[in-house]
Amino acid sequence: MTQGERGFVGWTWFVLWRVVLGMVLLLLILLLTLRFVAPPTSSFMLQSPYPVSQQWINIDQLPAHVPLAMVASEDQRFPEHFGVDLSAISDALEQSDDGGSLRGASTISQQTAKNLLLWPGRSLVRKGMEAGLAVSLEVIWGKKRILEVYLNIAEFGKGIYGVEAASQHYFAKSARNLSKNEAARLAVLLPSPRKRDPRQLTPYLRERVVWIERQMRQLGPAYLTPVLN
């Protein structure tokens, strides 16, 4: 390699690292801002093929059983893990080895990072970014803010984002007034929100609602108190 070529390679690496560092700093500034400011939109909302309906609601205005229903359905170890649930990943890998599909390993922190900043899909690159961002959210935001943002940007139907918009759309009332059963019915939508309606559930999904309600009782109404206080 000539001296000129070495100089070009060195200059390229210098510029590349400056660009990467700049992007990291911008991301940190964004996450710090969103720690205190409600996100005006999300990556998934911007990519939605449907008209978007979303209304922000403070988590302190919700009855405790609303976030509990989501945690009972999606991520029961949410108060314990650091953004990535290694036990869930291990269980999902074992299920996959036994012939099942590889699903169920994403925590609420990972889902929040994905919905807010990334794109749909299951590539290793996206999953890696999702895990890294989830850990960053745990450090910068804390669990209460993660759960609050999740409740406000998760998709509950075609273009319906957040529990407040979902409650208004499906039950014609604010999420402040959701019953435990209604919260469980919304939670059951989360894996496939564009194909499900809490007012018209299949027998399997009705059984799933019963299971979520049972999990809510077993976890107890105070399960999320350390997170929410």
Side-chain angles (χ1 to χ4, degrees), residues 21 53 85 90 108 124 151 166 181-182 186 188 190 202:
L21 180 61
S53 173
D85 189 343
S90 177
I108 282 177
L124 291 178
L151 289 167
N181 177 262
E182 289 166 339
L186 289 182
V188 83
L190 291 170
T202 64

Side-chain angles (χ1 to χ4, degrees), residues 169-211:
H169 178 80
Y170 294 118
F171 303 120
K173 60 182 176 180
S174 172
R176 298 175 181 88
N177 302 316
L178 285 172
S179 68
K180 294 178 181 178
N181 177 262
E182 289 166 339
R185 283 173 174 265
L186 289 182
V188 83
L189 305 180
L190 291 170
S192 302
R194 297 180 183 179
K195 300 178 180 179
R196 299 177 178 180
D197 186 322
R199 301 163 300 187
Q200 301 175 5
L201 297 176
T202 64
Y204 165 76
L205 290 177
R206 287 197 293 270
E207 291 179 8
R208 178 72 180 175
V209 168
V210 171
W211 180 87

Side-chain angles (χ1 to χ4, degrees), residues 8 11 15 25 44 56 77 97 105 107 110-111 124 127 138 142 144 151 162 167 175 195 203 211 218-219 221:
F8 175 76
W11 177 84
V15 171
L25 289 175
F44 272 43
W56 182 271
R77 284 191 279 259
D97 289 341
T107 65
Q110 288 175 265
Q111 292 180 48
L124 291 178
K127 293 296 288 185
E138 292 275 342
K144 181 178 181 179
L151 289 167
S167 182
K195 300 178 180 179
W211 180 87
Q218 291 178 357
L219 292 174

Side-chain angles (χ1 to χ4, degrees), residues 77-186:
R77 284 191 279 259
F78 177 70
E80 304 167 5
H81 61 64
F82 58 92
V84 177
D85 189 343
L86 299 179
S87 297
I89 292 174
S90 177
D91 292 343
L93 289 173
E94 289 182 7
Q95 180 183 8
S96 178
D97 289 341
D98 291 338
S101 60
L102 182 58
R103 62 177 303 274
S106 288
T107 65
I108 282 177
S109 303
Q110 288 175 265
Q111 292 180 48
T112 303
K114 176 190 69 177
N115 293 346
L116 183 64
L117 298 169
L118 300 176
W119 62 92
R122 297 187 178 184
S123 70
L124 291 178
V125 171
R126 202 223 64 190
K127 293 296 288 185
M129 294 176 66
E130 176 186 300
L133 286 169
V135 174
S136 299
L137 292 182
E138 292 275 342
V139 173
I140 297 172
W141 286 6
K143 290 193 177 290
K144 181 178 181 179
R145 181 59 172 176
I146 291 172
L147 190 54
E148 181 173 51
V149 173
Y150 176 77
L151 289 167
N152 279 283
I153 68 171
E155 187 176 13
F156 289 90
K158 295 179 179 179
I160 303 168
Y161 292 86
V163 292
E164 179 64 17
S167 182
Q168 296 284 359
H169 178 80
Y170 294 118
F171 303 120
K173 60 182 176 180
S174 172
R176 298 175 181 88
N177 302 316
L178 285 172
S179 68
K180 294 178 181 178
N181 177 262
E182 289 166 339
R185 283 173 174 265
L186 289 182

